[in-house]
Amino acid sequence: MADNRRSRAITEGVQRSPNRAMLRAVGFKDGDFNKPIVGVANGHSTITPCNAGLGELASRAEKALRNAGAMPQIFGTITVSDGISMGTQGMKYSLVSREVIADSIETATNAQSMDGVLVVGGCDKNMPGGMIAIARMNIPAIYVYGGTIKAGHYHGKDLTIVSSFEAVGQYTAGKMNDTDFVEIEKHACPGKGSCGGMYTANTMSSAIEVLGMALPYSSTQAAEDEEKAVSAEESARTLVKAIHNQLLPRQIMTRKAFENAIAVTMAVGGSTNAVLHLLAIAHAAEVPLRLEDFEEIRGKVPVLCDLKPSGQYVATDLHHVGGIPQVMKMLLARGLLHGDCMTITGKTVAENLKDVPADPSPNQDVIRQWNNPLYPQGHLAILKGNLATEGAVAKITGVKNPRITGPARVFESEESAMSAILEGKIRPGDVLVIRYEGPKGGPGMREMLSPTSAIIGAGLGDSVGLITDGRFSGGTYGMVVGHVAPEAFVGGTIALVHEGDSITIDAPARLLQLNVPEEELARRRAAWAPPAPHVTRGALAKYMKLVGTASRGAVTDA
């Protein structure tokens, strides 16, 4: 038993008998005051299928903690559903919820001087929010992912939530009939779990496993399978051992561990949101990490997994052919992963992967063989230029036209851009500019899944570019560039673009350029003034005042 238990100040001493009395009221007996107190941060809700099964996982973890000699205390954390709020004003709260989740876990855990915390989460922001709190507090901790949804099926095709968004574009463009449109909606989400492709939730669960803060194989398990609940129980037992050994998150989440997480994110074709969230988690852990680090690692790591949104398969398919450990072992065997990083299991990465083969089975194509990757380099590129002097993030693989120069079609919000797309006002060769959707300008940096899906559905995915100071869903693909920084609201060059200006997106050259003379830009800059804030009170207003640039993770405590 560790001697430096945080909860000892509460559970010991006659002078603190009122504290002990309160604990007795929630089930503590005489012998329990010498046990470590472990928080279970439970993100259960019926707001979203991602979190609808978390209560059972928290309950199984609670029982396992008690059986392992700890005293569990469950408390709730919030969630919002990105999928339900997508394309609405409600989406402004999505990234804000990451900070609320982090703050709530930190507040409850530190206020009660808990000795460790087990975080259970499912939707996109549950994971980075929980990990930010874990990194800040630096007490023994483990993450339990709620699990992925199983694929839906219609007419012999696998469906995910993105299928429904793309169907809107196809239906509006007259390329889909009423029956198929309705049936795709009915079949896209067949049960509990997070969105099934390598979208943001599964990207972040994978990154957390690679960081060493979750159990091997846990990031691709299906929410409704028994192995997910068994993994939650094993996570609880693992955490109790970590408390006894005082194995702390910052001993695990080192600079090398973040490099590992970036490498695997590239290999699996993960979400652009991973860039934002890994920067934020690293900031909380006081680990130096920059946008440029993503670009450096991207050049070394191939895309090995053929996963949606741009590929064929879903996360459960990846799980059945070896999951994230198989991808990790492939990289480790080629010198692209740090095997000496410690993990929450008490073993190093290399020790955890000892029995995993260096190459995947040849009888599947979810994970490509090393000599036949999907793409020879990673897919998440950092673009710079006068339109993004701090940087911007783009998915550049699978794009038929990696270079586009065209006239700017300028929109001051997601809604106005969406209307133009659905009304058929966008033409091949156009470059859409959606601005004032950044961390401060939105506020909240909304995801642009609705317009990008509508573009794909309308058949313009290979001929239209889109740039924004907002974000993209993990389900987005095409010639799209997000996280443009500095954002429009603080006077970034994206605020100075006029309708019809020439813009160049050059993925191979990592260039995002407004083709306007510097003298003209200086004139426009002198005439520019920031718009009035959309909100002046409440959570969004507080967030707008605190949040920093996307190029550093859009954190609120810099």
Side-chain angles (χ1 to χ4, degrees):
M1 179 73 66
D3 291 330
N4 55 344
R5 287 226 328 274
R6 284 157 38 104
S7 63
R8 194 174 296 280
I10 286 181
T11 60
E12 288 190 352
V14 174
Q15 71 275 22
R16 291 185 172 85
S17 59
N19 310 68
R20 293 163 66 99
M22 294 287 286
L23 290 170
R24 288 184 187 280
V26 294
F28 276 64
K29 304 294 189 296
D30 286 346
D32 295 334
F33 293 103
N34 290 321
K35 298 175 182 177
I37 295 177
V38 179
V40 178
N42 180 12
H44 175 82
S45 78
T46 56
I47 290 174
T48 168
C50 316
N51 288 38
L54 300 187
E56 173 63 19
L57 298 185
S59 178
R60 297 277 287 261
E62 177 191 32
K63 185 177 296 185
L65 285 166
R66 200 177 301 276
N67 290 339
M71 288 303 293
Q73 291 190 311
I74 292 184
F75 59 93
T77 66
I78 67 153
T79 195
V80 301
S81 171
D82 288 3
I84 295 172
S85 63
M86 196 74 70
T88 74
Q89 291 293 304
M91 189 65 191
K92 293 178 184 287
Y93 285 89
S94 170
L95 191 58
V96 176
S97 75
R98 185 187 77 178
E99 310 308 306
V100 176
I101 291 164
D103 292 349
S104 68
I105 294 172
E106 175 193 349
T107 299
T109 303
N110 280 346
Q112 304 308 126
S113 300
M114 295 174 185
D115 298 300
V117 64
L118 182 148
V119 182
V120 186
C123 208
D124 291 8
K125 306 310 173 296
N126 297 173
M127 281 166 285
M131 290 300 297
I132 288 168
I134 286 169
R136 281 183 195 165
M137 296 184 297
N138 199 34
I139 63 171
I142 196 167
Y143 202 96
V144 175
Y145 177 42
T148 182
I149 198 170
K150 295 180 180 180
H153 302 283
Y154 180 63
H155 280 180
K157 292 183 179 181
D158 285 351
L159 300 178
T160 68
I161 183 60
V162 175
S163 307
S164 186
F165 279 93
E166 291 179 359
V168 173
Q170 293 172 298
Y171 182 76
T172 304
K175 298 180 179 182
M176 180 178 290
N177 62 41
D178 290 355
T179 299
D180 287 344
F181 183 65
V182 172
E183 290 303 313
I184 287 173
E185 175 198 307
K186 289 180 177 179
H187 291 88
C189 297
K192 296 174 184 175
S194 298
C195 300
M198 191 48 69
Y199 309 145
T200 301
N202 285 323
T203 299
M204 292 312 301
S205 69
S206 300
I208 293 168
E209 180 179 327
V210 179
L211 279 171
M213 293 303 300
L215 293 185
Y217 297 100
S218 64
S219 66
T220 51
Q221 293 169 336
E224 296 182 324
D225 286 352
E226 174 64 13
E227 67 173 346
K228 183 76 260 181
V230 171
S231 177
E233 294 172 338
E234 181 58 28
S235 297
R237 291 188 287 268
T238 299
L239 176 57
V240 174
K241 292 177 184 176
I243 293 170
H244 292 331
N245 296 325
Q246 281 301 286
L247 178 56
L248 304 179
R250 294 193 190 181
Q251 295 171 304
I252 297 169
M253 288 192 285
T254 62
R255 163 74 189 204
K256 286 183 176 180
F258 279 97
E259 290 176 358
N260 286 350
I262 294 170
V264 173
T265 297
M266 297 294 177
V268 300
S271 166
T272 53
N273 280 312
V275 178
L276 194 76
H277 297 326
L278 287 173
L279 286 169
I281 297 166
H283 168 78
E286 299 186 66
V287 171
L289 196 66
R290 309 168 304 147
L291 273 177
E292 290 76 11
D293 296 320
F294 289 82
E295 181 60 33
E296 181 180 343
I297 294 171
R298 185 199 68 78
K300 302 175 183 177
V301 178
V303 179
L304 297 169
C305 299
D306 189 7
L307 299 170
K308 291 179 181 294
S310 56
Q312 300 182 64
Y313 298 104
V314 295
T316 50
D317 296 320
L318 175 60
H319 187 65
H320 295 147
V321 297
I324 294 302
Q326 179 63 78
V327 179
M328 292 176 71
K329 185 60 174 281
M330 294 175 73
L331 297 177
L332 179 66
R334 277 81 183 180
L336 295 172
L337 212 67
H338 301 291
D340 58 344
C341 291
M342 180 54 62
T343 73
I344 191 63
T345 65
K347 299 178 180 179
T348 65
V349 165
E351 289 170 337
N352 283 340
L353 300 176
K354 185 168 88 59
D355 297 326
V356 178
D359 293 295
S361 167
N363 300 318
Q364 55 80 45
D365 59 357
V366 181
I367 306 174
R368 295 287 190 91
Q369 299 301 314
W370 185 263
N371 60 2
N372 183 35
L374 209 62
Y375 304 103
Q377 293 181 316
H379 64 304
L380 297 180
I382 307 304
L383 275 56
K384 289 192 173 183
N386 67 352
L387 258 175
T389 54
E390 292 179 14
V393 182
K395 280 185 181 178
I396 64 172
T397 50
V399 177
K400 290 184 179 179
N401 299 310
R403 296 179 178 89
I404 182 171
T405 295
R409 304 297 310 279
V410 181
F411 302 96
E412 310 297 334
S413 70
E414 176 186 1
E415 287 85 355
S416 57
M418 188 67 177
S419 295
I421 297 166
L422 295 180
E423 291 168 11
K425 295 179 179 180
I426 303 303
R427 299 287 180 262
D430 287 347
V431 178
L432 281 72
V433 178
I434 305 178
R435 63 190 180 192
Y436 296 104
E437 290 285 6
K440 286 184 177 293
M445 205 178 178
R446 286 193 288 181
E447 292 181 347
M448 304 290 128
L449 179 59
S450 294
T452 57
S453 295
I455 287 170
I456 295 291
L460 296 169
D462 294 323
S463 60
V464 166
L466 188 154
I467 71 171
T468 180
D469 50 9
R471 296 181 294 131
F472 293 117
S473 163
T476 294
Y477 60 101
M479 182 51 106
V480 296
V481 185
H483 307 199
V484 171
E487 62 174 292
F489 191 80
V490 300
T493 305
I494 190 172
L496 309 180
V497 181
H498 286 185
E499 183 81 9
D501 282 349
S502 172
I503 289 178
T504 295
I505 305 172
D506 189 332
R510 318 287 178 269
L511 179 67
L512 185 61
Q513 188 77 13
L514 177 61
N515 302 313
V516 171
E518 186 54 44
E519 302 79 33
E520 172 62 15
L521 288 181
R523 187 189 67 78
R524 294 181 187 181
R525 187 170 283 110
W528 177 84
H534 292 301
V535 292
T536 57
R537 300 182 66 183
L540 291 180
K542 287 189 286 186
Y543 181 84
M544 184 177 66
K545 290 177 182 178
L546 293 172
V547 70
T549 177
S551 66
R552 297 181 183 176
V555 299
T556 55
D557 64 345

